[in-house]
Amino acid sequence: MQEILEIIEVKKRDFAELPLFEFMQDVSIHPIKRLSFAPCMAHFIMSFSDLNKYVFRDNLNTSRIQKVVNQYTYEDDNHWPWFIQDIENLGLNNYGNFTTALTSIWGEETRITRQISYQIAGYTFQADPIVKLIVIQVLEAAAEVFFNISRQISVEIEQIAGKEYLFFGEVHVHEETEHVISMPKEKSLLSEIELTDSQSHYLKEIVEQTFQTFSEWTYELLAFAQKHNAIAEENQESSEKMKVCA
């Protein structure tokens, strides 16, 4: 298993070099604009609680690894209210009505966001606990990259707006570091697992494909931010011109 964990670390470092994270760290851009992709994330963020409850969790399986997975799911299935609150505080709750929101969440510009949930469910539903735990390791690796950067943006916005940001900020980062799978005992458990050749091959494929989808997702998020920032700037310019004409 140690080889799989090392592959995840390599993929994590590559993931951190993607253009989305360069955009998020560009201090020449207003910090709210650097999180303006947040609505694009909605399907995956809101689905994650269900993945924990109905896909990862299995209270009938008493294996040691599944118990670790189960504990993780209880720790991590209640973060979605933070996301909703941050959307509101960021001023990104501007989809007008229910049908507009549905069209956005299930529209073409958010298609990869939806694929993430389906891909993860496909790999892990009724799967061996080892598979579930490795998928969770990939999720946590990608999350660490993302939230360590979003936390910095949240600090900037908090200084401007005087509001606390829970999902994108320090609260979420702290919760992530407290997960059971981050504890030394559980890390040792993982590294000591011996895999067959077929298991190793399959887990490598899962790691590769999951990181690939997450990487594609970052480009979708970046495109969403750039498009909607441009629209917001055009609307602001039009509004200012109207004021001048008036």
Side-chain angles (χ1 to χ4, degrees), residues 111-177:
R111 63 183 181 85
I112 298 175
T113 302
R114 300 190 301 279
Q115 289 175 24
I116 293 173
S117 302
Y118 307 145
Q119 182 184 59
I120 291 170
Y123 282 136
T124 57
F125 183 65
Q126 296 183 341
D128 188 297
I130 292 175
V131 173
K132 295 179 181 181
L133 197 52
I134 286 299
V135 169
I136 289 170
Q137 288 288 332
V138 172
L139 296 175
E140 290 296 300
E144 182 178 348
V145 172
F146 179 88
F147 288 115
N148 279 338
I149 297 174
S150 72
R151 169 177 59 179
Q152 298 168 18
I153 303 173
S154 295
V155 170
E156 294 179 53
I157 304 174
E158 286 167 7
Q159 292 172 347
I160 297 170
K163 296 179 180 179
E164 184 179 24
Y165 294 86
L166 302 178
F167 186 82
F168 293 104
E170 183 64 37
V171 169
H172 201 165
V173 172
H174 174 73
E175 288 295 317
E176 292 293 314
T177 61

Side-chain angles (χ1 to χ4, degrees), residues 61-75:
N61 187 321
T62 59
S63 72
R64 186 179 176 188
I65 296 175
Q66 184 61 53
K67 287 181 179 179
V68 172
V69 171
N70 288 347
Q71 185 173 341
Y72 168 85
T73 67
Y74 287 109
E75 296 168 346

Side-chain angles (χ1 to χ4, degrees), residues 46 79-93 163-168:
M46 300 303 289
H79 294 174
W80 62 268
W82 301 345
F83 176 73
I84 291 176
Q85 181 176 327
D86 280 7
I87 289 286
E88 189 71 37
N89 287 338
L90 288 166
L92 299 174
N93 185 19
K163 296 179 180 179
E164 184 179 24
Y165 294 86
L166 302 178
F167 186 82
F168 293 104

Side-chain angles (χ1 to χ4, degrees), residues 14-15 18 210-220:
D14 292 343
F15 184 70
L18 292 172
T210 305
F211 266 112
Q212 178 63 34
T213 304
F214 269 101
S215 297
E216 292 173 5
W217 187 35
T218 67
Y219 287 97
E220 181 171 88

Side-chain angles (χ1 to χ4, degrees), residues 22-24 26-34 156 229:
E22 181 179 350
F23 167 79
M24 291 175 68
D26 186 348
V27 295
S28 69
I29 302 171
H30 192 284
I32 290 181
K33 289 184 177 180
R34 281 145 54 200
E156 294 179 53
N229 287 343

